[in-house]
Amino acid sequence: MEIFHPAEILSRDEIAAVQTRRLARVVKRAARSPFYKAKLDEMGVDPESITSLDDLTRLPLTTKDDLRASYPFGMLADEHRELVRLHASSGTTGAPTVVYHTEKDLRTWADLMARCMHMAGMRKEDVFQNIAGYGLFTGGLGIHYGAERLGCLTIPAGAGNTARQIKLLRDFNVSAVHIIPSYALYLAGVVAEQGLDPRDLPPRIALIGAEPHSEEARRRIEEMLGLKAYNSYGLSEMNGPGVAFECEHQNGMHLWEDSYIAEILDPQTQEPVAEGEVGELVMTTLTREAMPLLRYRTRDLTRFLPGECACGRLHRRIDRITGRADDMLIIKGVNIYPMQIEKILLAVPEVAQNYQIVLEREGYIDQIKVRVEIKEEFFIEDMRVLGGIQKRIAGLLRNELLVTPRVELVEAKSLPTSEGKASRVVDLRETKD
Amino acid sequence: MEIFHPAEILSRDEIAAVQTRRLARVVKRAARSPFYKAKLDEMGVDPESITSLDDLTRLPLTTKDDLRASYPFGMLADEHRELVRLHASSGTTGAPTVVYHTEKDLRTWADLMARCMHMAGMRKEDVFQNIAGYGLFTGGLGIHYGAERLGCLTIPAGAGNTARQIKLLRDFNVSAVHIIPSYALYLAGVVAEQGLDPRDLPPRIALIGAEPHSEEARRRIEEMLGLKAYNSYGLSEMNGPGVAFECEHQNGMHLWEDSYIAEILDPQTQEPVAEGEVGELVMTTLTREAMPLLRYRTRDLTRFLPGECACGRLHRRIDRITGRADDMLIIKGVNIYPMQIEKILLAVPEVAQNYQIVLEREGYIDQIKVRVEIKEEFFIEDMRVLGGIQKRIAGLLRNELLVTPRVELVEAKSLPTSEGKASRVVDLRETKD
């Protein structure tokens, strides 16, 4: 096995040893910040007493609200003069959050990112197009620094401007791209509309992340663009991209346990779920200097996958994110995640790229409607054919969700598309309670 | 004098020695590219024969059209596998151009940029907000890498979203910004509209560049925002920002002659202009590995400033860019540069931030009209007062331009503004010939 970094092939014992040593250090470092100093004092936890991984549960959980409340400086565990970067959220839905980095933090992040890219088969010889917004969004600069660390010829293409993206892919014979899943499907559609085969575009590897997507969406991207698509997981609170990534086997994302301790907890009780069950991913940074986070509740739902990966790396694998704890819809008393709906829809051959979930209220009852684009060749005026497709989709959804959504078939390319992250859920209910 | 890099304080003899050595090397390197190999062969120039600075004039001039014609790989002087970055122009006005960088090229660029920032008074302790588009535009990543090299806490704010820019400036007590001149004036206006004093914003230093602007525009920025604004010069063909920069004395931009050889040529004859005369800046890269450029015609008009700077650095200073060779307007047979008009307008106390130059055709005669925003307190209904201002502006413009433009006074904030580069010239002539 070719590796980028020796930490990739640590044994489980070695991982535990590294985690133990780094946990003790990071707790002491976190205790320098106003937030954790107060929190640990309040809980009566002496940082010096954290000496084993079993001590983890004695540490406080940290939430996004904690980050907001301590904006802008409360989480800072470092001298100001060692800081070289900050990333801040837009704060469009509440107070912003901020994450700081020292120069060493940026190096560690770039190394983790390069390790991910290498694991997915990228090499120094690749020409890499980074189709992601730069600036404060961590997906742009995070991936960028990783690609330069790996030594790829990196094209900082940014987001949007599809015609130009396609021109760059072709002109520079781009072999690997970073792209948001819904935009990958959109871009393939634009090429197909020009009467060309998207599979003739040069890339052989796509790194996909930044929005939850189903296995079916990944397979569609692979088929439409004629490449291998590798799932990426990250969040700005844990630097950004580079937390977990798929290897060549594409069977879950190896989470770098030398840099993070991951727990899967029940989002309601905050107790560990049973082995292999889905719950909220909770993470502790082990290497960050400027702003360590202890047991951060990511709100992302996933599970640890059982068994060892054929690649030989022993860092545990997490399943694709099945949604966010906050994304859960409750319809007629049933919990529904949008990702369950996507999974069903994109497995139906007649379905085109786009769909929309519409929530409505009739009287006091919430209704869920799914608007589905049907491929042109199936969208014929024969009501029996369309009726059959509609019934089939409704049945499949009922089996998965345990409620019966209304299904509306629409023509391909009639639903709004976006060059950014797709917004799949439209809530038309007048009040939310 | 505090310096960032020893090359800042080279003597003139040492600069000449470095230039001679590096010129010989860069010509040999350039000759590896298909474009220069063919060009030098055609001119019968043996790269080995370039041994002194006097040999410079034996080398070919290079134009933007040459870059376009050799897109995408014709200028490449390096093995593909050593490349780590490319920046490409949008090619909206013709074929795109591309510039490649090796890892060493990026390091050199960041060093030059950090040297500029340090010379303008920035230090490691500064909090730096980079208000510039990232991605393929070199102004974003170029400045960003320089600030990180210097060790500043860097906020990759990107372009646009003024409310958020202002929030970041305040929340993180930002001490230095990079900002486009017209956007600096716009941002100050937004703060003033909130009933607040833009001078209370924290920054003490602004790096301004990316669009030509007059001394009067700089002074306005300084007064409105209560800071020192330093001119920056660069262009993507010469990496991007970091080519020349003002020192604390703000009297012209020191051009880093250990990395570039600069000539000022007559744009028509390509002969050197007389000492101190305005002409086209022509530059040769001395340190670039991936894509050296020999005697590149920048189209930018400037002159060498006479005498030595009080700061003690002996790298020659260029004057602010007075326009582009392409920007020249010919009205009634007279050459006019938009910057001449800005210079006059912004020195008039009654004039607000914005103005527009409108070109019209009446019959066969081109007319120039200048629409000028007048500050609210002067925009009163008394026609005599407004008439007086109008006459005064028309007189000042006539003296400068030698043609008499029509002057139209408009209310403050009535002309279109932009969050990007200002577009000052509107051409309403039906045909251009």
Side-chain angles (χ1 to χ4, degrees):
Chain A
M1 173 177 45
E2 283 182 64
I3 57 164
F4 180 78
H5 194 283
E8 290 177 53
I9 48 169
L10 293 176
S11 69
R12 288 306 310 172
D13 283 350
E14 288 167 329
I15 288 172
V18 167
Q19 288 190 329
T20 305
R21 197 172 65 237
R22 290 184 170 174
L23 178 64
R25 190 180 62 189
V26 84
V27 172
K28 284 192 276 258
R29 185 146 194 127
R32 293 194 206 169
S33 75
F35 173 80
Y36 282 117
K37 186 176 185 322
K39 196 86 174 182
L40 294 169
D41 279 356
E42 177 193 317
M43 295 173 74
V45 177
D46 176 3
E48 297 288 342
S49 73
I50 305 298
T51 55
S52 83
L53 293 178
D54 292 335
D55 293 323
L56 189 65
T57 52
R58 292 172 47 221
L59 295 172
L61 289 160
T62 309
T63 66
K64 185 131 192 152
D65 283 341
D66 291 329
L67 258 65
R68 286 177 175 147
S70 59
Y71 177 89
F73 303 118
M75 290 280 181
L76 206 43
D78 203 282
E79 306 298 319
H80 175 105
R81 55 173 287 126
E82 296 308 318
L83 304 176
V84 295
R85 176 91 65 81
L86 71 78
H87 284 276
S89 73
S90 62
T92 43
T93 57
T97 58
V98 57
V99 176
Y100 297 94
H101 302 273
T102 63
E103 196 188 338
K104 181 155 171 283
D105 288 337
L106 292 186
R107 267 204 314 267
T108 307
W109 181 11
D111 271 345
L112 284 169
M113 195 61 241
R115 210 200 271 190
C116 291
M117 293 167 140
H118 185 274
M119 180 166 64
M122 280 175 60
R123 295 292 180 273
K124 182 180 167 51
E125 294 74 21
D126 276 296
V127 180
F128 176 68
Q129 187 164 327
N130 191 16
I131 306 179
Y134 275 65
L136 289 166
F137 170 57
T138 54
L141 286 170
I143 295 266
H144 178 93
Y145 276 62
E148 279 187 1
R149 175 76 185 81
L150 188 55
C152 298
L153 171 49
T154 303
I155 307 178
N161 198 340
T162 307
R164 188 187 190 186
Q165 299 286 0
I166 294 168
K167 181 169 171 57
L168 291 168
L169 289 172
R170 290 198 178 114
D171 288 355
F172 298 107
N173 202 19
V174 170
S175 53
V177 295
H178 168 223
I179 191 164
I180 292 175
S182 56
Y183 187 58
L185 293 170
Y186 174 81
L187 184 143
V190 170
V191 173
E193 258 173 61
Q194 297 168 348
L196 301 168
D197 188 342
R199 286 173 300 186
D200 293 339
L201 289 174
R204 63 185 176 85
I205 290 178
L207 315 180
I208 55 174
E211 65 182 9
H213 60 282
S214 60
E215 180 62 21
E216 288 68 25
R218 184 243 291 271
R219 291 302 163 204
R220 284 238 173 157
I221 291 167
E222 293 193 325
E223 279 161 29
M224 290 183 77
L225 287 166
L227 46 66
K228 285 282 189 186
Y230 297 90
N231 288 338
S232 152
Y233 176 69
L235 65 166
S236 58
E237 296 87 338
M238 298 290 126
N239 295 340
V243 174
F245 226 86
E246 283 187 330
C247 68
E248 58 190 312
H249 297 287
Q250 296 183 309
N251 55 355
M253 297 178 279
H254 292 281
L255 190 146
W256 298 121
E257 294 185 271
D258 57 314
S259 271
Y260 301 98
I261 295 177
E263 305 167 80
I264 308 267
L265 304 184
D266 182 302
Q268 260 70 53
T269 65
Q270 279 93 57
E271 291 299 318
V273 298
E275 189 65 34
E277 289 293 299
V278 170
E280 180 178 357
L281 182 63
V282 171
M283 298 187 76
T284 299
T285 65
L286 290 176
T287 50
R288 210 153 62 190
E289 291 186 335
M291 187 175 143
L293 287 176
L294 307 179
R295 305 187 79 203
Y296 180 71
R297 294 185 59 179
T298 65
R299 310 303 290 158
D300 288 321
L301 300 174
T302 186
R303 62 187 178 116
F304 284 125
L305 293 172
E308 283 181 14
C309 181
C311 79
R313 290 177 188 83
L314 299 175
H315 296 262
R316 277 184 298 176
R317 289 162 300 136
I318 54 171
D319 201 358
R320 64 179 56 251
I321 304 303
T322 56
R324 289 179 65 80
D326 319 315
D327 284 347
M328 192 177 72
L329 308 170
I330 305 180
I331 301 296
K332 297 174 185 171
V334 178
N335 298 353
I336 295 176
Y337 290 99
M339 203 45 47
Q340 294 177 281
I341 297 175
E342 171 170 313
K343 191 178 78 177
I344 296 297
L345 295 180
L346 295 190
V348 175
E350 292 90 347
V351 169
Q353 277 88 276
N354 214 347
Y355 66 91
Q356 206 175 46
I357 299 166
V358 183
L359 305 178
E360 296 166 318
R361 175 164 296 170
E362 291 183 4
Y364 294 99
I365 301 173
D366 287 348
Q367 300 282 356
I368 183 166
K369 180 166 79 181
V370 181
R371 307 181 72 205
V372 189
E373 285 187 359
I374 296 297
K375 287 179 185 160
E376 216 167 334
E377 60 265 41
F378 298 106
F379 204 86
I380 43 178
E381 299 279 317
D382 186 333
M383 290 309 288
R384 280 170 306 178
V385 174
L386 281 180
I389 297 173
Q390 193 178 25
K391 258 196 188 149
R392 183 148 43 89
I393 292 175
L396 289 166
L397 287 171
R398 187 179 54 241
N399 289 347
E400 169 73 24
L401 308 177
L402 309 177
V403 296
T404 309
R406 294 179 189 177
V407 174
E408 186 180 317
L409 304 188
V410 302
E411 273 185 279
K413 288 177 271 172
S414 65
L415 292 175
T417 57
S418 157
E419 293 200 341
K421 292 193 191 190
S423 167
R424 303 292 203 190
V425 180
V426 179
D427 194 341
L428 300 176
R429 295 172 296 181
E430 274 179 28
T431 56
K432 299 179 198 177
D433 50 352
Chain B
M1 174 177 45
E2 284 182 63
I3 57 165
F4 179 79
H5 194 284
E8 290 176 54
I9 47 168
L10 293 176
S11 69
R12 287 308 308 174
D13 282 350
E14 287 166 330
I15 288 172
V18 168
Q19 288 190 329
T20 305
R21 199 173 62 238
R22 290 184 171 173
L23 178 65
R25 192 181 60 190
V26 83
V27 172
K28 284 192 275 258
R29 183 146 194 129
R32 293 195 205 169
S33 74
F35 172 80
Y36 282 116
K37 187 178 184 321
K39 196 86 174 180
L40 293 169
D41 279 357
E42 179 193 316
M43 295 173 74
V45 177
D46 176 4
E48 298 288 342
S49 73
I50 304 298
T51 55
S52 84
L53 293 177
D54 292 335
D55 293 323
L56 189 65
T57 51
R58 292 173 47 221
L59 295 172
L61 289 160
T62 308
T63 66
K64 185 131 192 152
D65 283 340
D66 291 330
L67 259 64
R68 286 177 174 147
S70 59
Y71 176 89
F73 303 117
M75 290 281 181
L76 206 44
D78 203 282
E79 307 297 320
H80 175 104
R81 54 172 289 127
E82 296 308 319
L83 304 176
V84 295
R85 177 89 66 81
L86 71 78
H87 283 277
S89 72
S90 62
T92 42
T93 57
T97 58
V98 57
V99 176
Y100 297 93
H101 302 274
T102 63
E103 196 188 338
K104 181 155 171 284
D105 288 336
L106 292 186
R107 268 203 314 268
T108 309
W109 182 10
D111 272 345
L112 285 170
M113 196 60 242
R115 211 200 271 190
C116 292
M117 292 167 142
H118 186 276
M119 180 166 63
M122 280 176 59
R123 295 292 179 272
K124 181 179 168 50
E125 294 74 20
D126 276 297
V127 180
F128 176 69
Q129 187 164 326
N130 190 16
I131 306 180
Y134 276 64
L136 289 167
F137 171 57
T138 54
L141 285 171
I143 296 268
H144 178 93
Y145 275 62
E148 278 187 2
R149 175 76 184 83
L150 189 55
C152 298
L153 170 50
T154 304
I155 306 178
N161 198 340
T162 308
R164 187 186 191 188
Q165 300 285 1
I166 294 168
K167 182 170 170 55
L168 292 168
L169 289 172
R170 289 198 178 114
D171 289 355
F172 298 107
N173 202 18
V174 169
S175 53
V177 295
H178 167 223
I179 191 164
I180 291 175
S182 56
Y183 187 59
L185 293 170
Y186 174 82
L187 185 142
V190 170
V191 173
E193 257 174 61
Q194 296 166 351
L196 302 167
D197 188 341
R199 285 173 299 185
D200 293 338
L201 289 174
R204 63 184 177 85
I205 289 178
L207 315 180
I208 55 175
E211 64 182 11
H213 60 282
S214 59
E215 180 62 21
E216 288 67 26
R218 183 243 293 270
R219 292 300 164 208
R220 284 240 172 157
I221 290 168
E222 293 192 328
E223 279 161 31
M224 290 184 75
L225 289 165
L227 45 67
K228 285 281 190 186
Y230 296 90
N231 287 338
S232 152
Y233 177 69
L235 66 165
S236 58
E237 295 88 339
M238 296 291 125
N239 294 340
V243 173
F245 226 85
E246 283 187 329
C247 68
E248 57 191 312
H249 297 286
Q250 297 183 308
N251 57 353
M253 298 178 279
H254 291 280
L255 190 145
W256 299 122
E257 295 185 89
D258 57 314
S259 271
Y260 301 98
I261 295 177
E263 306 167 79
I264 309 266
L265 305 184
D266 182 302
Q268 260 71 53
T269 65
Q270 280 94 57
E271 290 299 317
V273 298
E275 191 64 35
E277 290 292 299
V278 171
E280 179 179 356
L281 182 63
V282 170
M283 298 187 76
T284 299
T285 65
L286 290 177
T287 50
R288 211 153 63 189
E289 291 186 335
M291 188 175 143
L293 286 177
L294 307 180
R295 306 187 79 203
Y296 181 71
R297 294 184 60 178
T298 66
R299 311 302 289 159
D300 287 322
L301 300 174
T302 186
R303 63 187 178 115
F304 285 124
L305 293 171
E308 283 181 15
C309 180
C311 79
R313 290 176 188 84
L314 299 174
H315 295 262
R316 278 183 297 176
R317 289 162 299 135
I318 55 170
D319 201 358
R320 63 179 56 254
I321 304 304
T322 55
R324 290 179 64 79
D326 319 315
D327 284 347
M328 193 177 72
L329 308 170
I330 305 180
I331 302 294
K332 297 175 183 170
V334 177
N335 298 352
I336 295 176
Y337 291 98
M339 202 46 44
Q340 294 176 280
I341 297 176
E342 170 169 314
K343 193 178 75 176
I344 296 297
L345 294 181
L346 295 190
V348 175
E350 292 90 347
V351 169
Q353 276 88 277
N354 215 348
Y355 66 91
Q356 206 175 46
I357 299 165
V358 183
L359 305 178
E360 295 166 318
R361 174 163 299 170
E362 291 182 4
Y364 294 100
I365 301 174
D366 287 346
Q367 300 283 355
I368 183 165
K369 181 166 79 183
V370 181
R371 307 182 70 206
V372 189
E373 285 187 359
I374 296 298
K375 287 180 186 161
E376 216 167 333
E377 60 265 39
F378 299 105
F379 204 85
I380 43 178
E381 300 279 316
D382 186 333
M383 291 309 289
R384 280 171 306 178
V385 175
L386 281 181
I389 296 174
Q390 193 179 26
K391 257 195 189 150
R392 184 148 40 90
I393 293 175
L396 290 166
L397 287 171
R398 187 180 54 242
N399 289 347
E400 168 74 25
L401 308 177
L402 309 178
V403 298
T404 310
R406 293 178 190 179
V407 174
E408 185 180 318
L409 304 187
V410 300
E411 272 185 278
K413 288 177 270 171
S414 66
L415 292 175
T417 57
S418 158
E419 293 201 341
K421 291 192 191 191
S423 168
R424 303 291 202 190
V425 180
V426 179
D427 194 340
L428 300 176
R429 294 172 296 181
E430 275 179 29
T431 55
K432 300 178 199 179
D433 49 352

